[in-house]
Amino acid sequence: MSEPTRKVFIKTHGCQMNVYDSGRMADALRPAGYEQTGEIDDADLVLINTCHIREKASDKVYSEIGRLRVLKDQHRAAGRDMTIAIAGCVAQAEGKEILRRAPSVDVVVGPQGYHRLPDLLERAKRQGRAIDVEFSEDDKFDHLPATDPRTHLKRGPSAFLTIQEGCDKFCSFCVVPYTRGMEVSRPMPQILAEARAMVEAGVCEITLLGQNVNAYHGANGSGGEASLGDLLFALARIDGVKRLRYTTSHPNDMHDTLYAAHRDLTQLTPLLHLPVQSGSDAMLKAMNRKHTVADYHAVVDRMNMIRDDMAFSSDFIVAHPGETDADFAATLALVERVGYASCYSFKYSARPGTPAAERTDLVAPEVANERLQILQNLLNDQETAFLKGLVGKTIDVLFERKGRDAGQIVGRSPYVQPVQVNAPAEMIGQIGQVMITSTGTHSLFGHLATTPATVVSHTLMEAGA
Ligand code: SAH
Ligand code: SF4
Ligand code: F3S
């Protein structure tokens, strides 16, 4: 490559899809001569991958740009260039506004345009600034380079893989259909090829991503369509894929093949992240969720019938416009009935352009705060109970990295919590059986229940055997 090496610093906000996209942007920039750096001061290009989901998340972008401007000015005084690029969902939703408000920003690119990033940087160099927030006709996944092993090697044995992007559901409160566009599924052969490349790069746990991942309906490569269940069965056949996860699911897209996958695939972890948002039918209607509380319980009950080790997580919004005390009480009742392993809960945040933002029957802020507190207390109690329920049990842990203390390594349980264990670093990248001995706030502690063959031989070698 004749181009000199330049350095890109990438900061990622928002959901797991943004984490995946940041990796793909790093891949797309590599042929243009950019290597990733963890030091912002060394960067020729600072790329912020933004999130628009709540007001707080998107407001952060402008203060961050303010700090970058100072750095850019310092660099300029020292005779160095620093390019600022804003990507992600704020870029998509407010791209022109960003350029207007922040003269220091050179490039704005929405989630559909990442494969054009090198061109945009060139264009910015020629013209001063460049913006790309079109929902493209061309599929970005056809243009992004094949997953580069270097991106994954750095991350360890667990990787994200986007299989579906966008959303057609238009929940009353949500910006995603506007920032990610209509729902698009990637063809199954393309996904399988990317999964194989990941495995070759040392990945053994793949988390499939989509805003509505279980609405996946990609071409199956032989004239038909594959569902998420079909895709999971195909991925489980790839040698070296030891664990599969998927997120985020919608209660309306639970198909028979997905239940079958949970029944039959040992690689598929027994955790279903199934956001419900509210436990009141009136609120679900107001939120345009198109399912009832009973529909939701039916999914949970069927999964519980299939696997007795099944656990659930969810997202909740309190104080959506019009939410009454009775609606909120119904949410608490739903939580009591399901019994969650872990959840995210948020106070409703009005987002420009969404139908809920037009409503005037707002819940008073102090009521919203109180409801959030009550809900979070209940969810925290459930999480603690779930973790305590694992004490004394032996579970599979995929070890991902060294721990803080010497001799300690950290992995993840099938239910996603970090698990700290005293074990040899050689076990990183392997799944070990761990007996859980105690719990932290969101984590677990344990010891190896069995010593795997590779580690035994290593220990014997060290002992001179
Ligand atoms: N696609 C997923 C998640 C989308 S965003 C789904 O369909 O559930 C993640 C979570 O953010 C949502 O589940 C919701 O709980 C929360 N969220 C989205 N918009 C919000 C808003 N305007 N105010 C507060 N929370 C919101
Ligand atoms: Fe947003 Fe609803 Fe789509 Fe989830 S299903 S991304 S909450 S519009
Ligand atoms: Fe945020 Fe966009 Fe993800 S709004 S949650 S980064 S889809």
Side-chain angles (χ1 to χ4, degrees):
M1 182 96 359
S2 56
E3 292 262 6
T5 302
R6 285 173 287 185
K7 295 210 162 86
V8 54
F9 176 88
I10 306 181
K11 175 100 185 269
T12 309
H13 300 286
C15 61
Q16 292 152 322
M17 193 173 285
N18 265 10
V19 175
Y20 172 82
D21 280 349
S22 288
R24 296 306 296 269
M25 282 192 270
D27 293 344
L29 286 167
R30 204 169 280 118
Y34 285 95
E35 284 301 329
Q36 250 181 293
T37 173
E39 296 296 327
I40 194 164
D41 285 334
D42 294 345
D44 304 289
L45 168 64
V46 177
L47 178 61
I48 311 289
N49 196 0
T50 61
C51 173
H52 196 56
I53 202 80
R54 282 168 292 274
E55 199 178 350
K56 238 196 229 153
S58 66
D59 279 358
K60 220 169 16 193
V61 176
Y62 291 99
S63 49
E64 209 162 2
I65 294 172
R67 286 193 297 275
L68 289 178
R69 195 198 57 208
V70 175
L71 191 64
K72 185 172 178 150
D73 288 346
Q74 284 169 358
H75 279 356
R76 187 172 293 141
R80 266 183 63 193
D81 273 346
M82 187 185 106
T83 303
I84 300 177
I86 307 299
C89 291
V90 182
Q92 184 64 47
E94 299 178 8
K96 293 201 178 88
E97 166 94 357
I98 294 175
L99 287 184
R100 196 178 56 74
R101 274 177 64 177
S104 59
V105 170
D106 305 285
V107 169
V108 169
V109 58
Q112 306 292 315
Y114 296 155
H115 56 296
R116 291 188 288 266
L117 201 47
D119 294 344
L120 281 164
L121 289 165
E122 277 302 311
R123 213 175 347 133
K125 211 152 86 186
R126 281 198 315 272
Q127 304 169 356
R129 311 175 89 186
I131 179 166
D132 183 344
V133 290
E134 301 307 315
F135 284 122
S136 24
E137 296 287 301
D138 57 342
D139 179 359
K140 74 172 179 187
F141 292 113
D142 284 339
H143 298 273
L144 282 172
T147 309
D148 191 310
R150 280 168 292 186
T151 303
H152 290 293
L153 281 176
K154 254 192 264 134
R155 294 238 179 82
S158 182
F160 296 128
L161 202 175
T162 292
I163 63 164
Q164 175 276 342
E165 186 168 350
C167 182
D168 300 347
K169 296 221 163 33
F170 292 93
C171 297
S172 62
F173 49 82
C174 184
V175 291
V176 170
Y178 313 98
T179 64
R180 293 279 174 174
M182 298 312 260
E183 191 191 297
V184 178
S185 294
R186 297 176 69 187
M188 184 159 82
Q190 201 188 67
I191 295 166
L192 296 177
E194 192 167 332
R196 281 189 211 100
M198 285 177 168
V199 170
E200 272 166 36
V203 168
C204 65
E205 175 183 86
I206 298 177
T207 302
L208 306 179
L209 298 181
Q211 272 84 34
N212 271 285
V213 73
N214 57 337
Y216 175 80
H217 57 103
N220 66 3
S222 41
E225 270 193 355
S227 68
L228 175 61
D230 298 331
L231 178 63
L232 286 164
F233 276 99
L235 284 162
R237 281 195 289 273
I238 296 177
D239 230 12
V241 173
K242 294 185 193 155
R243 243 192 202 178
L244 289 164
R245 305 182 188 274
Y246 61 91
T247 198
T248 299
S249 300
H250 192 285
N252 287 359
D253 295 310
M254 298 298 302
H255 301 298
D256 288 346
T257 51
L258 188 53
Y259 290 100
H262 275 284
R263 185 192 60 211
D264 296 342
L265 297 178
T266 49
Q267 295 97 326
L268 187 57
T269 54
L271 175 72
L272 177 60
H273 181 61
L274 194 64
V276 65
Q277 316 298 355
S278 168
S280 147
D281 279 336
M283 271 343 300
L284 290 176
K285 194 149 191 275
M287 288 174 164
N288 195 30
R289 291 286 295 179
K290 300 197 179 81
H291 64 82
T292 62
V293 172
D295 296 333
Y296 187 83
H297 284 308
V299 174
V300 170
D301 292 347
R302 186 168 170 194
M303 276 292 173
N304 276 329
M305 294 276 284
I306 284 173
R307 286 192 73 117
D308 54 14
D309 58 352
M310 200 70 199
F312 301 88
S313 59
S314 188
D315 296 345
F316 293 90
I317 295 178
V318 300
H320 181 279
E323 189 186 68
T324 63
D325 284 341
D327 293 322
F328 178 63
T331 296
L332 297 178
L334 177 141
V335 172
E336 293 281 7
R337 175 162 171 206
V338 175
Y340 288 101
S342 67
C343 286
Y344 296 98
S345 47
F346 311 97
K347 213 168 18 171
Y348 167 75
S349 167
R351 306 307 293 129
T354 60
E358 308 282 306
R359 290 183 60 157
T360 50
D361 50 348
L362 302 182
V363 175
E366 54 283 5
V367 176
N369 285 336
E370 193 190 353
R371 285 182 190 164
L372 186 64
Q373 198 54 58
I374 293 169
L375 177 62
Q376 290 188 338
N377 287 345
L378 175 61
L379 294 172
N380 284 341
D381 288 349
Q382 288 197 344
E383 183 176 349
T384 305
F386 180 81
L387 294 178
K388 292 219 180 305
L390 291 174
V391 173
K393 292 201 172 126
T394 299
I395 58 172
D396 284 345
V397 173
L398 170 59
F399 293 108
E400 292 183 353
R401 59 190 164 84
K402 287 187 177 165
R404 221 177 299 151
D405 301 335
Q408 200 179 56
I409 57 173
V410 186
R412 280 187 192 272
S413 83
Y415 307 107
V416 199
Q417 301 89 5
V419 186
Q420 304 197 29
V421 179
N422 281 325
E426 286 74 14
M427 287 202 68
I428 291 170
Q430 296 183 38
I431 292 179
Q433 294 249 295
V434 173
M435 159 78 128
I436 301 301
T437 51
S438 61
T439 63
T441 321
H442 304 288
S443 61
L444 296 162
F445 300 87
H447 58 70
L448 284 180
T450 51
T451 313
T454 49
V455 175
V456 173
S457 60
H458 177 84
T459 320
L460 290 176
M461 264 159 43
E462 267 183 351

